[in-house]
Amino acid sequence: VQLQASGGGLVQAGGSLRLSCVVSGYTLDYYAIAWFRQAPGKEREGVSCIATAAGATYYADSVKGRFTISRDDVKDTFFLQMNSLKPEDTAVYYCAVDQTGSYSYTGVFSVASYDYWGQGTLVTVSS
């Protein structure tokens, strides 16, 4: 399984970006898809998740109301629409897939829940 993230870039505060993650190699149903981010000197943190079996979406408190996760099953792609960006959103953003259902045990925003990761795409928000 390979994940390819794209869409990062430099944007001014208040602006928007849309990240994409294309999943290839094994495109049967997966239990959860998620976006994480990692700022310099900080741990990787969960941003948003779709738990596909439960039909539920989750957002970190810091991005609620500003970010939206979505998926296109036909294209095996999922997205993160980011609006009203803030300098504190600056980070490398990673997409991830849980193909074993681990999230139900370890949590939707646990790094350990995810089996496959994209390479990351850098988002820089200037003030």
Side-chain angles (χ1 to χ4, degrees):
V1 178
Q2 292 186 329
L3 283 70
Q4 180 70 44
S6 63
L10 174 64
V11 64
Q12 289 188 332
S16 298
L17 283 174
R18 188 193 196 205
L19 305 184
S20 300
C21 182
V22 178
V23 183
S24 62
Y26 181 81
T27 56
L28 297 181
D29 288 342
Y30 24 75
Y31 287 87
I33 54 177
W35 289 96
F36 284 72
R37 67 186 181 187
Q38 188 165 18
K42 295 187 177 181
E43 293 187 353
R44 193 169 297 188
E45 63 174 358
V47 174
S48 184
C49 166
I50 296 177
T52 53
T57 57
Y58 301 89
Y59 295 93
D61 288 343
S62 59
V63 307
K64 280 181 182 176
R66 300 188 298 121
F67 290 10
T68 303
I69 190 171
S70 61
R71 58 189 290 192
D72 181 337
D73 290 340
V74 174
K75 296 181 179 179
D76 292 313
T77 304
F78 58 105
F79 307 95
L80 185 68
Q81 178 66 43
M82 305 186 296
N83 299 328
S84 303
L85 283 161
K86 304 176 181 180
E88 51 264 44
D89 294 319
T90 294
V92 177
Y93 283 71
Y94 299 89
C95 52
V97 167
D98 172 9
Q99 283 199 329
T100 58
S102 297
Y103 85 89
S104 61
Y105 300 100
T106 51
V108 295
F109 288 151
S110 170
V111 170
S113 296
Y114 296 88
D115 307 293
Y116 300 99
W117 293 82
Q119 84 288 0
T121 184
L122 176 62
V123 172
T124 304
V125 184
S126 63
S127 57

